[in-house]
mmCIF file of all heavy atoms in Angstrom:
data_model
loop_
_atom_site.group_PDB
_atom_site.id
_atom_site.type_symbol
_atom_site.label_atom_id
_atom_site.label_comp_id
_atom_site.label_asym_id
_atom_site.label_seq_id
_atom_site.Cartn_x
_atom_site.Cartn_y
_atom_site.Cartn_z
ATOM 1 N N PHE A 30 5.148 221.700 162.370
ATOM 2 C CA PHE A 30 5.686 222.453 161.242
ATOM 3 C C PHE A 30 5.903 221.533 160.060
ATOM 4 O O PHE A 30 6.175 220.346 160.210
ATOM 5 C CB PHE A 30 7.022 223.103 161.601
ATOM 6 C CG PHE A 30 6.897 224.226 162.585
ATOM 7 C CD1 PHE A 30 7.113 224.010 163.927
ATOM 8 C CD2 PHE A 30 6.569 225.495 162.161
ATOM 9 C CE1 PHE A 30 7.003 225.034 164.838
ATOM 10 C CE2 PHE A 30 6.453 226.534 163.065
ATOM 11 C CZ PHE A 30 6.671 226.301 164.408
ATOM 12 N N THR A 31 5.818 222.111 158.873
ATOM 13 C CA THR A 31 6.186 221.383 157.667
ATOM 14 C C THR A 31 7.689 221.517 157.480
ATOM 15 O O THR A 31 8.253 222.580 157.687
ATOM 16 C CB THR A 31 5.442 221.962 156.453
ATOM 17 O OG1 THR A 31 4.042 221.808 156.660
ATOM 18 C CG2 THR A 31 5.838 221.255 155.168
ATOM 19 N N VAL A 32 8.333 220.439 157.083
ATOM 20 C CA VAL A 32 9.772 220.429 156.866
ATOM 21 C C VAL A 32 10.043 220.554 155.371
ATOM 22 O O VAL A 32 9.485 219.804 154.578
ATOM 23 C CB VAL A 32 10.395 219.116 157.390
ATOM 24 C CG1 VAL A 32 11.888 219.066 157.109
ATOM 25 C CG2 VAL A 32 10.102 218.943 158.866
ATOM 26 N N LEU A 33 10.873 221.511 154.997
ATOM 27 C CA LEU A 33 11.293 221.660 153.610
ATOM 28 C C LEU A 33 12.717 221.136 153.499
ATOM 29 O O LEU A 33 13.624 221.617 154.174
ATOM 30 C CB LEU A 33 11.242 223.123 153.176
ATOM 31 C CG LEU A 33 11.808 223.439 151.793
ATOM 32 C CD1 LEU A 33 11.016 222.713 150.704
ATOM 33 C CD2 LEU A 33 11.807 224.943 151.563
ATOM 34 N N VAL A 34 12.901 220.128 152.646
ATOM 35 C CA VAL A 34 14.225 219.552 152.425
ATOM 36 C C VAL A 34 14.664 219.916 151.017
ATOM 37 O O VAL A 34 13.997 219.564 150.043
ATOM 38 C CB VAL A 34 14.212 218.014 152.600
ATOM 39 C CG1 VAL A 34 15.591 217.429 152.286
ATOM 40 C CG2 VAL A 34 13.772 217.636 154.003
ATOM 41 N N LEU A 35 15.774 220.648 150.920
ATOM 42 C CA LEU A 35 16.360 220.983 149.629
ATOM 43 C C LEU A 35 17.399 219.921 149.313
ATOM 44 O O LEU A 35 18.400 219.797 150.010
ATOM 45 C CB LEU A 35 17.020 222.367 149.671
ATOM 46 C CG LEU A 35 16.109 223.543 150.020
ATOM 47 C CD1 LEU A 35 16.921 224.818 150.151
ATOM 48 C CD2 LEU A 35 15.028 223.714 148.975
ATOM 49 N N ALA A 36 17.156 219.139 148.275
ATOM 50 C CA ALA A 36 18.046 218.028 147.929
ATOM 51 C C ALA A 36 18.450 218.104 146.462
ATOM 52 O O ALA A 36 18.049 217.276 145.646
ATOM 53 C CB ALA A 36 17.363 216.698 148.235
ATOM 54 N N PRO A 37 19.265 219.109 146.116
ATOM 55 C CA PRO A 37 19.735 219.180 144.730
ATOM 56 C C PRO A 37 20.660 218.012 144.428
ATOM 57 O O PRO A 37 21.100 217.303 145.330
ATOM 58 C CB PRO A 37 20.494 220.514 144.679
ATOM 59 C CG PRO A 37 20.934 220.757 146.075
ATOM 60 C CD PRO A 37 19.860 220.144 146.951
ATOM 61 N N GLY A 38 20.973 217.811 143.166
ATOM 62 C CA GLY A 38 21.876 216.731 142.791
ATOM 63 C C GLY A 38 23.252 216.935 143.393
ATOM 64 O O GLY A 38 23.610 218.023 143.818
ATOM 65 N N GLY A 39 24.008 215.867 143.455
ATOM 66 C CA GLY A 39 25.356 215.944 143.989
ATOM 67 C C GLY A 39 25.567 214.909 145.066
ATOM 68 O O GLY A 39 24.664 214.144 145.416
ATOM 69 N N PRO A 40 26.769 214.892 145.625
ATOM 70 C CA PRO A 40 27.105 213.837 146.581
ATOM 71 C C PRO A 40 26.292 213.853 147.871
ATOM 72 O O PRO A 40 26.123 212.822 148.506
ATOM 73 C CB PRO A 40 28.592 214.066 146.880
ATOM 74 C CG PRO A 40 28.935 215.400 146.331
ATOM 75 C CD PRO A 40 27.889 215.770 145.336
ATOM 76 N N ALA A 41 25.761 214.994 148.270
ATOM 77 C CA ALA A 41 24.996 215.074 149.524
ATOM 78 C C ALA A 41 23.538 214.652 149.345
ATOM 79 O O ALA A 41 22.832 214.449 150.331
ATOM 80 C CB ALA A 41 25.050 216.497 150.080
ATOM 81 N N GLN A 42 23.084 214.504 148.113
ATOM 82 C CA GLN A 42 21.667 214.239 147.878
ATOM 83 C C GLN A 42 21.172 212.959 148.545
ATOM 84 O O GLN A 42 20.096 212.946 149.144
ATOM 85 C CB GLN A 42 21.356 214.182 146.384
ATOM 86 C CG GLN A 42 19.857 214.054 146.124
ATOM 87 C CD GLN A 42 19.539 213.870 144.667
ATOM 88 O OE1 GLN A 42 20.018 212.922 144.052
ATOM 89 N NE2 GLN A 42 18.747 214.786 144.118
ATOM 90 N N ALA A 43 21.938 211.885 148.480
ATOM 91 C CA ALA A 43 21.495 210.604 149.055
ATOM 92 C C ALA A 43 21.189 210.756 150.539
ATOM 93 O O ALA A 43 20.165 210.262 151.026
ATOM 94 C CB ALA A 43 22.540 209.524 148.829
ATOM 95 N N GLY A 44 22.040 211.441 151.279
ATOM 96 C CA GLY A 44 21.805 211.650 152.704
ATOM 97 C C GLY A 44 20.586 212.510 152.968
ATOM 98 O O GLY A 44 19.825 212.256 153.909
ATOM 99 N N LEU A 45 20.371 213.518 152.135
ATOM 100 C CA LEU A 45 19.200 214.381 152.299
ATOM 101 C C LEU A 45 17.909 213.622 152.009
ATOM 102 O O LEU A 45 16.905 213.785 152.712
ATOM 103 C CB LEU A 45 19.324 215.608 151.388
ATOM 104 C CG LEU A 45 20.447 216.565 151.771
ATOM 105 C CD1 LEU A 45 20.754 217.524 150.624
ATOM 106 C CD2 LEU A 45 20.069 217.339 153.029
ATOM 107 N N LEU A 46 17.931 212.784 150.972
ATOM 108 C CA LEU A 46 16.746 211.978 150.655
ATOM 109 C C LEU A 46 16.454 210.989 151.783
ATOM 110 O O LEU A 46 15.289 210.765 152.129
ATOM 111 C CB LEU A 46 16.949 211.231 149.331
ATOM 112 C CG LEU A 46 17.082 212.104 148.086
ATOM 113 C CD1 LEU A 46 17.378 211.239 146.861
ATOM 114 C CD2 LEU A 46 15.840 212.958 147.871
ATOM 115 N N ASN A 47 17.487 210.423 152.358
ATOM 116 C CA ASN A 47 17.317 209.510 153.482
ATOM 117 C C ASN A 47 16.708 210.235 154.679
ATOM 118 O O ASN A 47 15.792 209.732 155.335
ATOM 119 C CB ASN A 47 18.660 208.875 153.858
ATOM 120 C CG ASN A 47 18.514 207.821 154.927
ATOM 121 O OD1 ASN A 47 17.636 206.968 154.843
ATOM 122 N ND2 ASN A 47 19.361 207.886 155.931
ATOM 123 N N THR A 48 17.198 211.433 154.950
ATOM 124 C CA THR A 48 16.657 212.228 156.057
ATOM 125 C C THR A 48 15.189 212.553 155.823
ATOM 126 O O THR A 48 14.363 212.439 156.732
ATOM 127 C CB THR A 48 17.466 213.527 156.236
ATOM 128 O OG1 THR A 48 18.814 213.172 156.564
ATOM 129 C CG2 THR A 48 16.880 214.410 157.314
ATOM 130 N N ALA A 49 14.841 212.942 154.603
ATOM 131 C CA ALA A 49 13.446 213.248 154.281
ATOM 132 C C ALA A 49 12.560 212.024 154.494
ATOM 133 O O ALA A 49 11.462 212.122 155.069
ATOM 134 C CB ALA A 49 13.335 213.742 152.838
ATOM 135 N N GLN A 50 13.037 210.870 154.056
ATOM 136 C CA GLN A 50 12.262 209.635 154.225
ATOM 137 C C GLN A 50 12.081 209.299 155.701
ATOM 138 O O GLN A 50 10.987 208.921 156.134
ATOM 139 C CB GLN A 50 12.947 208.469 153.485
ATOM 140 C CG GLN A 50 12.198 207.176 153.567
ATOM 141 C CD GLN A 50 10.812 207.246 152.942
ATOM 142 O OE1 GLN A 50 10.534 208.047 152.054
ATOM 143 N NE2 GLN A 50 9.910 206.421 153.430
ATOM 144 N N GLN A 51 13.131 209.436 156.495
ATOM 145 C CA GLN A 51 13.031 209.162 157.932
ATOM 146 C C GLN A 51 12.029 210.100 158.593
ATOM 147 O O GLN A 51 11.245 209.674 159.451
ATOM 148 C CB GLN A 51 14.398 209.293 158.598
ATOM 149 C CG GLN A 51 15.342 208.167 158.270
ATOM 150 C CD GLN A 51 16.724 208.384 158.886
ATOM 151 O OE1 GLN A 51 16.998 209.393 159.519
ATOM 152 N NE2 GLN A 51 17.600 207.412 158.689
ATOM 153 N N MET A 52 12.047 211.356 158.213
ATOM 154 C CA MET A 52 11.100 212.315 158.795
ATOM 155 C C MET A 52 9.666 211.958 158.423
ATOM 156 O O MET A 52 8.766 212.048 159.250
ATOM 157 C CB MET A 52 11.440 213.733 158.334
ATOM 158 C CG MET A 52 12.706 214.264 158.937
ATOM 159 S SD MET A 52 13.043 215.918 158.301
ATOM 160 C CE MET A 52 14.208 216.479 159.513
ATOM 161 N N ARG A 53 9.462 211.554 157.187
ATOM 162 C CA ARG A 53 8.118 211.128 156.763
ATOM 163 C C ARG A 53 7.667 209.910 157.557
ATOM 164 O O ARG A 53 6.514 209.827 157.972
ATOM 165 C CB ARG A 53 8.102 210.831 155.266
ATOM 166 C CG ARG A 53 8.066 212.069 154.412
ATOM 167 C CD ARG A 53 8.004 211.743 152.937
ATOM 168 N NE ARG A 53 7.788 212.959 152.161
ATOM 169 C CZ ARG A 53 8.273 213.179 150.960
ATOM 170 N NH1 ARG A 53 9.015 212.252 150.364
ATOM 171 N NH2 ARG A 53 8.030 214.311 150.338
ATOM 172 N N GLN A 54 8.559 208.963 157.777
ATOM 173 C CA GLN A 54 8.218 207.754 158.530
ATOM 174 C C GLN A 54 7.862 208.068 159.975
ATOM 175 O O GLN A 54 7.105 207.340 160.610
ATOM 176 C CB GLN A 54 9.366 206.750 158.471
ATOM 177 C CG GLN A 54 9.541 206.117 157.122
ATOM 178 C CD GLN A 54 10.790 205.253 157.016
ATOM 179 O OE1 GLN A 54 11.673 205.301 157.861
ATOM 180 N NE2 GLN A 54 10.869 204.465 155.954
ATOM 181 N N GLN A 55 8.400 209.160 160.489
ATOM 182 C CA GLN A 55 8.101 209.572 161.858
ATOM 183 C C GLN A 55 6.866 210.471 161.928
ATOM 184 O O GLN A 55 6.521 210.958 163.002
ATOM 185 C CB GLN A 55 9.310 210.279 162.461
ATOM 186 C CG GLN A 55 10.485 209.355 162.661
ATOM 187 C CD GLN A 55 11.723 210.074 163.178
ATOM 188 O OE1 GLN A 55 11.676 211.235 163.562
ATOM 189 N NE2 GLN A 55 12.839 209.380 163.194
ATOM 190 N N GLY A 56 6.215 210.690 160.780
ATOM 191 C CA GLY A 56 4.967 211.428 160.775
ATOM 192 C C GLY A 56 5.067 212.894 160.401
ATOM 193 O O GLY A 56 4.064 213.600 160.422
ATOM 194 N N ALA A 57 6.249 213.362 160.049
ATOM 195 C CA ALA A 57 6.395 214.766 159.662
ATOM 196 C C ALA A 57 5.833 214.986 158.265
ATOM 197 O O ALA A 57 5.873 214.088 157.422
ATOM 198 C CB ALA A 57 7.859 215.181 159.694
ATOM 199 N N ARG A 58 5.316 216.171 158.034
ATOM 200 C CA ARG A 58 4.922 216.567 156.687
ATOM 201 C C ARG A 58 6.173 217.144 156.039
ATOM 202 O O ARG A 58 6.702 218.158 156.482
ATOM 203 C CB ARG A 58 3.818 217.615 156.714
ATOM 204 C CG ARG A 58 3.417 218.026 155.317
ATOM 205 C CD ARG A 58 2.117 218.788 155.292
ATOM 206 N NE ARG A 58 1.760 219.002 153.910
ATOM 207 C CZ ARG A 58 1.635 220.202 153.365
ATOM 208 N NH1 ARG A 58 1.788 221.287 154.090
ATOM 209 N NH2 ARG A 58 1.322 220.327 152.092
ATOM 210 N N VAL A 59 6.644 216.491 154.994
ATOM 211 C CA VAL A 59 7.895 216.875 154.343
ATOM 212 C C VAL A 59 7.605 217.319 152.915
ATOM 213 O O VAL A 59 6.914 216.631 152.166
ATOM 214 C CB VAL A 59 8.899 215.695 154.321
ATOM 215 C CG1 VAL A 59 10.161 216.062 153.554
ATOM 216 C CG2 VAL A 59 9.239 215.262 155.735
ATOM 217 N N LEU A 60 8.128 218.479 152.551
ATOM 218 C CA LEU A 60 8.131 218.920 151.166
ATOM 219 C C LEU A 60 9.557 218.739 150.666
ATOM 220 O O LEU A 60 10.492 219.325 151.208
ATOM 221 C CB LEU A 60 7.719 220.388 151.047
ATOM 222 C CG LEU A 60 6.273 220.713 151.393
ATOM 223 C CD1 LEU A 60 6.036 222.217 151.321
ATOM 224 C CD2 LEU A 60 5.326 219.982 150.457
ATOM 225 N N LEU A 61 9.703 217.921 149.650
ATOM 226 C CA LEU A 61 11.027 217.615 149.115
ATOM 227 C C LEU A 61 11.237 218.375 147.817
ATOM 228 O O LEU A 61 10.504 218.189 146.851
ATOM 229 C CB LEU A 61 11.171 216.111 148.871
ATOM 230 C CG LEU A 61 12.480 215.658 148.240
ATOM 231 C CD1 LEU A 61 13.671 216.006 149.132
ATOM 232 C CD2 LEU A 61 12.430 214.170 147.935
ATOM 233 N N ALA A 62 12.236 219.252 147.823
ATOM 234 C CA ALA A 62 12.647 219.969 146.620
ATOM 235 C C ALA A 62 13.860 219.257 146.059
ATOM 236 O O ALA A 62 14.916 219.203 146.696
ATOM 237 C CB ALA A 62 12.964 221.421 146.945
ATOM 238 N N ALA A 63 13.698 218.664 144.878
ATOM 239 C CA ALA A 63 14.760 217.869 144.270
ATOM 240 C C ALA A 63 14.584 217.910 142.752
ATOM 241 O O ALA A 63 13.537 218.351 142.255
ATOM 242 C CB ALA A 63 14.687 216.428 144.781
ATOM 243 N N PRO A 64 15.585 217.453 142.017
ATOM 244 C CA PRO A 64 15.425 217.400 140.566
ATOM 245 C C PRO A 64 14.220 216.537 140.176
ATOM 246 O O PRO A 64 13.898 215.562 140.858
ATOM 247 C CB PRO A 64 16.740 216.773 140.082
ATOM 248 C CG PRO A 64 17.728 217.103 141.151
ATOM 249 C CD PRO A 64 16.932 217.053 142.435
ATOM 250 N N ALA A 65 13.575 216.925 139.092
ATOM 251 C CA ALA A 65 12.424 216.156 138.594
ATOM 252 C C ALA A 65 12.835 214.704 138.403
ATOM 253 O O ALA A 65 13.952 214.415 137.978
ATOM 254 C CB ALA A 65 11.929 216.760 137.282
ATOM 255 N N GLY A 66 11.958 213.808 138.751
ATOM 256 C CA GLY A 66 12.225 212.385 138.603
ATOM 257 C C GLY A 66 12.733 211.719 139.871
ATOM 258 O O GLY A 66 12.768 210.496 139.948
ATOM 259 N N VAL A 67 13.119 212.511 140.867
ATOM 260 C CA VAL A 67 13.561 211.933 142.139
ATOM 261 C C VAL A 67 12.318 211.468 142.892
ATOM 262 O O VAL A 67 11.350 212.211 143.039
ATOM 263 C CB VAL A 67 14.354 212.960 142.977
ATOM 264 C CG1 VAL A 67 14.605 212.444 144.376
ATOM 265 C CG2 VAL A 67 15.673 213.289 142.294
ATOM 266 N N GLU A 68 12.340 210.227 143.363
ATOM 267 C CA GLU A 68 11.184 209.666 144.068
ATOM 268 C C GLU A 68 10.828 210.522 145.286
ATOM 269 O O GLU A 68 11.689 210.899 146.071
ATOM 270 C CB GLU A 68 11.491 208.246 144.516
ATOM 271 C CG GLU A 68 10.296 207.560 145.152
ATOM 272 C CD GLU A 68 10.589 206.127 145.551
ATOM 273 O OE1 GLU A 68 11.566 205.549 145.052
ATOM 274 O OE2 GLU A 68 9.821 205.603 146.374
ATOM 275 N N GLY A 69 9.551 210.852 145.427
ATOM 276 C CA GLY A 69 9.069 211.636 146.556
ATOM 277 C C GLY A 69 9.185 213.139 146.366
ATOM 278 O O GLY A 69 8.853 213.899 147.266
ATOM 279 N N CYS A 70 9.648 213.570 145.202
ATOM 280 C CA CYS A 70 9.833 215.001 144.942
ATOM 281 C C CYS A 70 8.485 215.717 144.899
ATOM 282 O O CYS A 70 7.575 215.316 144.194
ATOM 283 C CB CYS A 70 10.570 215.195 143.623
ATOM 284 S SG CYS A 70 10.761 216.922 143.161
ATOM 285 N N ASP A 71 8.371 216.788 145.691
ATOM 286 C CA ASP A 71 7.163 217.607 145.704
ATOM 287 C C ASP A 71 7.357 218.912 144.939
ATOM 288 O O ASP A 71 6.414 219.460 144.383
ATOM 289 C CB ASP A 71 6.783 217.960 147.157
ATOM 290 C CG ASP A 71 6.531 216.726 147.991
ATOM 291 O OD1 ASP A 71 5.563 216.007 147.697
ATOM 292 O OD2 ASP A 71 7.316 216.479 148.933
ATOM 293 N N LEU A 72 8.575 219.428 144.978
ATOM 294 C CA LEU A 72 8.905 220.704 144.351
ATOM 295 C C LEU A 72 10.100 220.488 143.437
ATOM 296 O O LEU A 72 11.237 220.422 143.901
ATOM 297 C CB LEU A 72 9.245 221.756 145.419
ATOM 298 C CG LEU A 72 8.184 221.986 146.492
ATOM 299 C CD1 LEU A 72 8.763 222.781 147.659
ATOM 300 C CD2 LEU A 72 6.995 222.698 145.898
ATOM 301 N N PRO A 73 9.867 220.356 142.121
ATOM 302 C CA PRO A 73 10.985 220.056 141.232
ATOM 303 C C PRO A 73 11.959 221.227 141.099
ATOM 304 O O PRO A 73 11.551 222.373 140.966
ATOM 305 C CB PRO A 73 10.327 219.731 139.897
ATOM 306 C CG PRO A 73 8.911 220.119 140.013
ATOM 307 C CD PRO A 73 8.590 220.363 141.449
ATOM 308 N N LEU A 74 13.239 220.898 141.168
ATOM 309 C CA LEU A 74 14.304 221.874 140.943
ATOM 310 C C LEU A 74 14.763 221.753 139.493
ATOM 311 O O LEU A 74 14.781 220.659 138.935
ATOM 312 C CB LEU A 74 15.486 221.601 141.883
ATOM 313 C CG LEU A 74 15.211 221.750 143.374
ATOM 314 C CD1 LEU A 74 16.431 221.297 144.177
ATOM 315 C CD2 LEU A 74 14.857 223.183 143.714
ATOM 316 N N PRO A 75 15.165 222.864 138.888
ATOM 317 C CA PRO A 75 15.592 222.794 137.485
ATOM 318 C C PRO A 75 16.956 222.114 137.337
ATOM 319 O O PRO A 75 17.773 222.125 138.259
ATOM 320 C CB PRO A 75 15.686 224.269 137.084
ATOM 321 C CG PRO A 75 15.994 224.985 138.355
ATOM 322 C CD PRO A 75 15.257 224.215 139.429
ATOM 323 N N ASP A 76 17.166 221.535 136.180
ATOM 324 C CA ASP A 76 18.475 220.967 135.855
ATOM 325 C C ASP A 76 19.354 222.128 135.423
ATOM 326 O O ASP A 76 19.064 222.810 134.445
ATOM 327 C CB ASP A 76 18.338 219.939 134.734
ATOM 328 C CG ASP A 76 19.670 219.335 134.335
ATOM 329 O OD1 ASP A 76 20.679 219.573 135.027
ATOM 330 O OD2 ASP A 76 19.700 218.623 133.316
#
């Protein structure tokens, strides 16, 4: 399955980005929804 990670701005974002990176390192296909400019963002969220 493809993993969709919603990582909007805020205090939880760092942990979500870390989780997305770990999943990618383990071979998962990850779609990262985050604010534009966030490294690895596939689906930009509006400000």
